[in-house]
Amino acid sequence: SSGVLYSGGYFKGSSCLRFYYHMRTGGYLRVFTKEAVPKKTNPYVLIWEREGPQGNKWNVMETSLLGGITKVRWAGVCVFFCFCYFHLW
């Protein structure tokens, strides 16, 4: 199965993005950010990705989102078993 998830809005100033993911059998998971300017002049930018089996465990990703006003997008395809839990502050 596949899916795309967007943050509910934009985040002002510096923020921290932390999420947990479980990709036992493969697929991919990608995280993009976009600043709050017109879409044609500022597309989403890939900031992180994982592909293939990542083990039968929960993994963590954490990064700072620096700068202006930012929106986050997750995109993924899971072959069989994939979960993601995220937290922004």
Side-chain angles (χ1 to χ4, degrees), residues 12-28:
K12 294 181 182 179
S14 297
S15 300
C16 180
L17 169 66
R18 177 190 299 154
F19 69 91
Y20 298 86
Y21 61 97
H22 195 297
M23 297 171 59
R24 182 175 72 188
T25 59
Y28 70 82

Side-chain angles (χ1 to χ4, degrees), residues 42-55:
N42 190 17
Y44 281 95
V45 176
L46 179 69
I47 62 165
W48 180 89
E49 70 179 324
R50 286 292 180 272
E51 189 171 328
Q54 301 296 309

Side-chain angles (χ1 to χ4, degrees), residues 14-74:
S14 297
S15 300
C16 180
L17 169 66
R18 177 190 299 154
F19 69 91
Y20 298 86
Y21 61 97
H22 195 297
M23 297 171 59
R24 182 175 72 188
T25 59
Y28 70 82
L29 182 60
R30 296 182 178 124
V31 179
F32 302 85
T33 60
K34 175 183 179 318
E35 289 189 25
V37 295
K39 191 175 188 176
K40 290 181 180 179
T41 61
N42 190 17
Y44 281 95
V45 176
L46 179 69
I47 62 165
W48 180 89
E49 70 179 324
R50 286 292 180 272
E51 189 171 328
Q54 301 296 309
N56 189 16
K57 62 181 179 164
W58 286 98
N59 301 286
V60 64
M61 183 277 196
E62 183 172 310
T63 189
S64 294
L65 301 176
L66 304 173
I69 302 173
T70 306
K71 189 169 194 153
V72 181
R73 181 179 85 175
W74 292 263

